[in-house]
Amino acid sequence: SWNFGTSAQDPSPSSILDTHGTSCAGVAAGAINNGVCGAGIAYRATISGVRYICSTCSATPAQAISSYSARANVSSNSWGPSFGLGFFR
């Protein structure tokens, strides 16, 4: 995982309005018997987050995606939070 905004390995959302990718990852790979809710579709999968849409991010979408594409079997792109609040208005 990588955060191109902070140059760190933690791509966690910075606010509640920025959790769309985290929600999508939970639907895809949420652990079975996690004590919180239902399991994801591929509950034994491993995931990696790449954050590159933010005001301080140093990479273009193409650079960020290509930096991890060789290591991923499946790619899912979550382009931002709820309608009207994200990068693309």
Side-chain angles (χ1 to χ4, degrees):
S1 297
W2 192 253
N3 185 330
F4 284 94
T6 61
S7 296
Q9 291 182 336
D10 183 6
S12 297
S14 57
S15 80
I16 192 68
L17 298 175
D18 195 20
T19 60
H20 179 74
T22 304
S23 298
C24 292
V27 169
I32 195 167
N33 298 323
N34 60 25
V36 178
C37 197
I41 296 165
Y43 54 84
R44 290 188 176 133
T46 55
I47 59 172
S48 177
V50 179
R51 180 185 178 90
Y52 58 88
I53 297 178
C54 62
S55 61
T56 60
C57 287
S58 61
T60 66
Q63 290 168 327
I65 291 169
S66 66
S67 70
Y68 280 85
S69 64
R71 293 175 256 182
N73 292 318
V74 176
S75 175
S76 174
N77 299 297
S78 299
W79 294 99
S82 302
F83 179 78
L85 299 173
F87 186 78
F88 299 106
R89 292 184 185 203

